[in-house]
Amino acid sequence: MNVIDHVRDMAAAGLHSNVRIISSLLLTMSNNNPELFSPSQKYQLLVYHADALFHDKEYRNAGCKYRMALQQKKILSKTSKVRPSTGGTASSLQSQSLPSEIEVKYKIAECYTILKLDRDAIAVLDGIPSRQRTPKINMMLANLYRKAGQERSAVTSYKEVLRQCPLALDAIIGLLSLSVKGAEVASMTMDVIQSIPNLEWLSVWIKAYAFIHAGDNLRAINTICTLEKKSLLRDNVDLLVSLADLYFRAGDTKNSILKFEQAQMLDPYLIKGMDVYGYLMAREGHLEDVEVLGGRLFNISDQHAEPWVISGCHSFYSKRYSRALYLGAKAIQLNSNSVQALLLKGAALRNMGRVQEAIIHFREAMRLAPCRLDCYEGLIDCYLASNGIREAMGMANNIYKTLGANAQTLTILATVCLEDPMTQEKAKTLLDKALAQRPDYIKAVVKKAELLSREQKYDEGIALLRHALVDQSDCVLHRMLGDFLVAVNDYQEAMDQYSIALSLDPNDQKSLEGMQKMEKEESPTEATVEEDGDDMEGSGEDGDLEGSDSEAAQWADQEQWFGMQ
């Protein structure tokens, strides 16, 4: 047994730090005396050393050593003569199984992918003949092709994965996301479904994800519910997270939060989907719960985007936009495909007045998740903020035509129509259609209430909001009802509605302003005294503001450090 055998055994045993040290020393010896090791031995040393570097996350160095190993392999293939080596015979060297050249190329591609050098990764994997590509090579290629917009090549690679591994469900999702028909994908798994017992659910699972990627949220929800209710798949965390995400996409916040909480209870270490859950909780005003959730996820892993997004949502809804921007950028660094991170950063940029930068992030989110309406809503908000009503109208019409006339698309189109006095009547018709489909859809209720307020139809607005609040409680709806009640001089109930709104979201500034305005009108003398008292305590508030500016400057510096300016 020679020294290379010892290095190989240590590598197989996972002693990476030991392999790194000894292989480095032996390679230096080889450089100083090329006759000391044969080409095959040097090839092995380079591969084992590169593997150790890869394990230590030194991906550039690892990629360099892997490429050196491939160069050494070319020398080895050109000569059949085996040089004498220390501690071994030619016959024993020839009998050794050398590290796979295909595996080395895959490792190089992995390094490139981690370093975000996708074109280089594709070039390396494309250089492997099709017949020699393993399922994991085809899977990596498929994902890289899809990211690069080479959809036909991605479909071919995903299908090759399924040909070799018909239960590769992520490959199935990849095909469905590229608009391959569900029936065609199901046919590729039919043999394994029929030959293995208790797999009859798989065809229904494929059907559900076909609906998801077609943007048909309601049919997807119904299909997954039938799966989730089956005894063998009851309480499956992945299905619950998918269901929660679908409810979120359909605008059903209550059921979405319920399913996320159910999934969390089953798996306290769950990370997937928690960024959406954190966003919903922050949007609903439960900032303390969001803070706790973010801290818990950081303890599980700070190498995933989700905890950074959750903390960013906490900052965003606390109106600390500079910090939210930094946290969103950090999340994108960890996962450039995180839609929620892109939306967070886009929203922070928009609220900081950097609308053109925000548009770039919303567009990227839209490319990654073409069936998520919140990506389009963010982009439309940016267009409206920059007086681009024509662009906003074009986008809204495109969504309406592509995804059909459902409550959400009707409301989006109506939102844009409300910005133009010439299309107010059209907005009213669209909102009526949306509410006819889903009377409980909060965004449609809010926009209809805004329209009624403009028309000073306060009694209609009160009736609309009361009806919407029968089966749900929402801060914005309670606050708007308070505004309408003030308009009809019902001050006592208006005060009650503002109080309810603030109990749901203590940070809702508009409810607080409405309540303070009413208090001043009811008791102007007391209000004057309170104002004087506030002036006397002003120094404390100034201190808070100064701290806020200081913190904004601190996070702005960190933005520059992470190359976000």
Side-chain angles (χ1 to χ4, degrees):
M1 188 172 181
N2 62 33
V3 68
I4 306 299
D5 295 329
H6 283 286
V7 177
R8 184 189 66 233
D9 290 347
M10 284 193 294
L15 301 175
H16 303 291
S17 61
N18 300 275
V19 170
R20 177 172 181 168
I21 295 170
I22 187 66
S23 59
S24 174
L25 294 168
L26 295 174
L27 285 167
T28 302
M29 291 169 59
S30 176
N31 291 336
N32 290 325
N33 183 1
E35 299 298 322
L36 195 60
F37 296 110
S38 69
S40 65
Q41 289 178 315
K42 190 170 182 181
Y43 168 68
Q44 290 177 82
L45 282 173
L46 284 165
V47 172
Y48 298 143
H49 187 61
D51 286 344
L53 291 168
F54 187 91
H55 182 266
D56 287 343
K57 300 182 180 179
E58 295 184 26
Y59 301 115
R60 290 189 187 277
N61 198 356
C64 176
K65 296 300 186 294
Y66 282 128
R67 291 192 296 273
M68 289 171 65
L70 289 182
Q71 290 297 320
Q72 192 64 32
K73 189 69 167 60
K74 288 180 181 178
I75 296 172
L76 178 61
S77 62
K78 289 179 181 178
T79 176
S80 58
K81 181 180 179 181
V82 180
R83 299 178 182 179
S85 62
T86 303
T89 63
S91 59
S92 66
L93 284 172
Q94 288 173 334
S95 65
Q96 289 177 0
S97 57
L98 298 177
S100 164
E101 185 178 349
I102 301 300
E103 183 66 21
V104 171
K105 289 182 178 179
Y106 177 80
K107 283 288 190 181
I108 292 173
E110 270 196 308
C111 291
Y112 283 143
T113 302
I114 293 167
L115 295 168
K116 296 181 173 58
L117 302 171
D118 292 346
R119 290 184 181 179
D120 294 328
I122 290 173
V124 171
L125 297 179
D126 270 341
I128 301 173
S130 298
R131 291 182 180 181
Q132 296 180 20
R133 293 176 189 171
T134 61
K136 69 177 182 180
I137 289 173
N138 278 312
M139 190 69 189
M140 182 184 280
L141 258 178
N143 290 333
L144 287 166
Y145 283 141
R146 182 175 65 171
K147 190 175 178 182
Q150 301 178 43
E151 295 188 0
R152 185 174 297 178
S153 297
V155 167
T156 301
S157 295
Y158 280 131
K159 285 183 176 179
E160 190 58 28
V161 174
L162 277 182
R163 187 186 67 80
Q164 297 173 288
C165 303
L167 291 179
L169 301 190
D170 201 28
I172 288 174
I173 291 174
L175 283 172
L176 295 171
S177 72
L178 293 169
S179 302
V180 177
K181 298 293 183 183
E184 182 183 349
V185 176
S187 69
M188 301 178 72
T189 64
M190 198 57 64
D191 290 341
V192 72
I193 291 174
Q194 292 175 348
S195 62
I196 299 177
N198 299 319
L199 274 185
E200 65 280 354
W201 55 266
L202 183 55
S203 58
V204 182
W205 185 93
I206 294 171
K207 182 180 178 182
Y209 279 86
F211 286 140
I212 289 173
H213 290 286
D216 194 340
N217 295 324
L218 296 180
R219 292 174 77 181
I221 288 169
N222 292 333
T223 308
I224 290 184
C225 282
T226 62
L227 267 179
E228 209 273 323
K229 287 175 183 176
K230 288 188 176 181
S231 58
L232 291 178
L233 292 176
R234 187 180 297 125
D235 292 338
N236 176 266
V237 172
D238 286 331
L239 283 179
L240 285 169
V241 170
S242 295
L243 197 52
D245 190 58
L246 282 166
Y247 278 125
F248 161 64
R249 295 187 189 195
D252 189 343
T253 301
K254 182 180 177 181
N255 274 317
S256 179
I257 290 175
L258 190 66
K259 291 301 176 183
F260 275 128
E261 289 175 346
Q262 192 177 341
Q264 243 192 149
M265 289 176 65
L266 291 167
D267 183 2
Y269 297 102
L270 178 66
I271 292 179
K272 181 183 178 183
M274 289 295 99
D275 50 351
V276 175
Y277 175 56
Y279 160 70
L280 287 175
M281 295 291 283
R283 195 179 72 183
E284 293 295 298
H286 307 304
L287 293 183
E288 289 184 7
D289 294 332
V290 174
E291 191 172 14
V292 171
L293 176 66
R296 187 168 64 78
L297 258 68
F298 273 121
N299 287 332
I300 296 171
S301 171
D302 62 357
Q303 295 303 304
H304 286 75
E306 284 83 351
W308 297 91
V309 171
I310 291 167
S311 292
C313 289
H314 181 277
S315 296
F316 181 86
Y317 282 95
S318 300
K319 296 181 171 56
R320 297 154 72 187
Y321 302 125
S322 183
R323 186 167 187 263
L325 177 61
Y326 159 72
L327 292 166
K330 177 64 178 176
I332 293 169
Q333 282 186 335
L334 292 168
N335 180 6
S336 59
N337 292 328
S338 172
V339 174
Q340 210 60 42
L342 288 163
L343 292 176
L344 169 64
K345 192 177 175 189
L349 287 165
R350 180 192 62 210
N351 284 22
M352 293 170 72
R354 295 157 63 175
V355 177
Q356 293 307 311
E357 293 172 73
I359 286 173
I360 293 170
H361 288 77
F362 285 123
R363 281 178 176 165
E364 178 62 11
M366 193 173 68
R367 185 187 71 80
L368 291 170
C371 292
R372 278 189 56 168
L373 287 174
D374 50 344
C375 302
Y376 299 92
E377 287 175 326
L379 193 56
I380 287 172
D381 286 344
C382 286
Y383 287 144
L384 294 178
S386 56
N387 295 319
I389 294 179
R390 182 177 298 177
E391 292 89 343
M393 186 64 77
M395 177 65 68
N397 277 315
N398 184 50
I399 299 166
Y400 179 79
K401 291 174 184 176
T402 305
L403 299 179
N406 57 55
Q408 291 167 285
T409 57
L410 287 164
T411 304
I412 289 171
L413 185 54
T415 300
V416 181
C417 290
L418 283 171
E419 297 297 317
D420 186 349
M422 301 297 292
T423 53
Q424 298 287 304
E425 283 303 313
K426 183 180 179 181
K428 184 177 180 179
T429 302
L430 291 166
L431 290 170
D432 288 341
K433 287 181 179 179
L435 290 169
Q437 288 188 24
R438 283 185 55 188
D440 63 336
Y441 186 46
I442 290 177
K443 289 184 179 180
V445 174
V446 168
K447 290 300 173 183
K448 181 67 183 291
E450 286 179 7
L451 184 59
L452 292 172
S453 178
R454 291 183 191 180
E455 296 173 344
Q456 298 184 356
K457 295 179 179 178
Y458 302 122
D459 289 333
E460 284 186 42
I462 290 170
L464 172 72
L465 292 164
R466 288 194 195 281
H467 184 265
L469 286 166
V470 169
D471 297 317
Q472 60 188 333
S473 189
D474 178 80
C475 170
V476 175
L477 298 186
H478 282 291
R479 184 227 303 152
M480 293 186 83
L481 180 54
D483 293 341
F484 275 95
L485 289 165
V486 168
V488 296
N489 301 321
D490 190 345
Y491 299 115
Q492 183 58 53
E493 191 183 352
M495 184 70 78
D496 293 340
Q497 293 298 327
Y498 288 137
S499 298
I500 296 171
L502 285 169
S503 70
L504 293 169
D505 182 2
N507 295 311
D508 185 52
Q509 193 64 32
K510 291 183 178 179
S511 294
L512 191 60
E513 288 171 0
M515 185 176 284
Q516 290 173 342
K517 184 178 179 181
M518 283 184 58
E519 288 173 346
K520 287 179 181 179
E521 288 178 356
E522 288 180 356
S523 181
T525 306
E526 290 179 14
T528 305
V529 173
E530 287 177 8
E531 285 177 8
D532 293 339
D534 288 343
D535 291 341
M536 292 174 67
E537 297 174 359
S539 59
E541 291 187 12
D542 290 344
D544 290 342
L545 288 171
E546 288 173 7
S548 177
D549 291 341
S550 174
E551 180 185 44
Q554 173 191 352
W555 290 110
D557 289 343
Q558 295 196 47
E559 289 166 32
Q560 292 178 349
W561 176 260
F562 281 93
M564 292 182 293
Q565 295 289 354

